[in-house]
Amino acid sequence: MPLEDFIITVFCWVEEHWDSVIGGQRLRQRGFAPKLTDSEVITMEVVGEFLGLDTDLPLWQYFHRHWPSWFPQWGSRPTFTPQAAHLWAIKPALHRRLVIDLGAVTDPIHLVDGCPLPLGVLTRARRYRLFSGPADYGYCAAKKPYYSGFHGHRMVTINGVITGGTVTPASADEREALWDLTEGIQGLVIGDKGYISAFLKQELATAHIDLQTPLRANRADPRTPSVIQQLTTTRRLVETVIAQLTGWFHWGKIWARDQWHLTSRITRKLLAHTLCIFVNRLLGRSDLQFEGLIA
């Protein structure tokens, strides 16, 4: 797909669902309306994320330089940054609408996992003053070092559609975040050993959710080897999605100086990833085939 068509597709989808997401509410109670419309700003954010432009200055500069006739009502870059952040609550609402459109909410199988959102390594933590309240110290089992920051959690379908995401302090228990991620879904949820909890499994069962995880090495597993292998193989898909978020959308390097901007930039990455799946389906491509999406 040419980049021009990709921009048009993203903009048309946002515009089509804007009124249903806003619900007739006014986003601004005072002051002048910005020159760029909110739909244009979100389109720029989503397209910019796909192109690797995940901070506001290069994002604004790119569209100002290469697409001035497509976004003719330009304001200043200092105006663009708070406008994008001001839409922090609209982007997850659009994402929920998109997940429904893709039929992902009713998928009978979901995968859950998390990965670090570091704000600094431990050696620099005392000098790192951003997010001093909610952020804390955590340990990354995959990459080993301790870090200061947050932990991101995602719920994904077996097709790779992210149906939910949340962020907790780095030291928070992954099992507690699962309650936010399972809202509105039923069926099988596959997680790693970090989600092992007999109590949690029992409580989720009352909501028609079957939580399945590997067991500790010192415990006998009543499930057949073929079932265990199938669960393990299926769960690897969530690692593919995390790899895309980290490599393509720079999940591990989210630049923000407060929770407001952090939330906005996290949600636009999730929205961009899911909109790429939406475009792939329009083109008859595999959901997670992002390479070659733009000709």
Side-chain angles (χ1 to χ4, degrees), residues 196-227:
I196 294 177
S197 168
F199 174 76
L200 178 61
K201 181 177 176 66
Q202 184 178 10
E203 288 294 301
L204 288 173
T206 63
H208 307 288
I209 296 172
D210 178 17
L211 176 63
Q212 294 290 329
T213 66
L215 297 184
R216 303 292 183 190
N218 60 353
R219 293 188 58 188
D221 198 327
R223 297 169 297 189
T224 64
S226 61
V227 170

Side-chain angles (χ1 to χ4, degrees), residues 63-272:
F63 280 93
H64 190 266
R65 182 181 305 115
H66 296 285
W67 303 95
S69 62
W70 284 46
F71 303 89
Q73 300 299 318
W74 283 101
S76 63
R77 199 278 301 175
T79 302
F80 172 82
T81 298
Q83 183 180 358
H86 183 75
L87 299 170
W88 68 270
I90 305 303
K91 281 170 271 194
L94 285 170
H95 180 257
R96 286 191 295 271
R97 179 70 258 175
L98 180 58
V99 167
I100 293 172
D101 283 0
L102 294 173
V105 174
T106 56
D107 197 301
I109 303 177
H110 287 78
L111 318 170
V112 63
D113 205 350
C115 65
L117 281 172
L119 297 175
V121 296
L122 192 59
T123 54
R124 303 191 190 112
R126 291 185 179 180
R127 302 196 301 271
Y128 211 89
R129 295 293 180 260
L130 305 185
F131 305 98
S132 57
D136 63 5
Y137 301 144
Y139 179 75
C140 176
K143 297 184 179 180
K144 305 305 180 185
Y146 288 90
Y147 68 96
S148 173
F150 298 91
H151 202 76
H153 311 266
R154 283 156 308 281
M155 186 72 74
V156 180
T157 70
I158 58 173
N159 295 316
V161 179
I162 301 172
T163 59
T166 189
V167 174
T168 63
S171 64
D173 192 327
E174 288 184 313
R175 293 168 292 191
E176 292 299 320
L178 193 54
W179 291 109
D180 292 334
L181 298 175
T182 54
E183 183 178 356
I185 71 169
Q186 296 182 358
L188 177 63
V189 172
I190 304 173
D192 61 17
K193 293 180 181 179
Y195 299 94
I196 294 177
S197 168
F199 174 76
L200 178 61
K201 181 177 176 66
Q202 184 178 10
E203 288 294 301
L204 288 173
T206 63
H208 307 288
I209 296 172
D210 178 17
L211 176 63
Q212 294 290 329
T213 66
L215 297 184
R216 303 292 183 190
N218 60 353
R219 293 188 58 188
D221 198 327
R223 297 169 297 189
T224 64
S226 61
V227 170
I228 297 173
Q229 180 60 41
Q230 186 175 10
L231 290 173
T232 302
T233 301
T234 303
R235 208 194 75 80
R236 290 189 183 126
L237 178 68
V238 74
E239 298 173 358
T240 300
V241 174
I242 290 176
Q244 286 184 328
L245 287 173
T246 303
W248 201 291
F249 296 97
H250 305 161
W251 178 269
K253 297 180 180 178
I254 301 178
W255 305 106
R257 292 186 173 274
D258 53 52
Q259 287 181 269
W260 183 35
H261 289 83
L262 179 69
T263 301
S264 175
R265 288 171 186 173
I266 286 174
T267 54
R268 81 187 186 191
K269 291 178 187 296
L270 299 183
L271 178 60

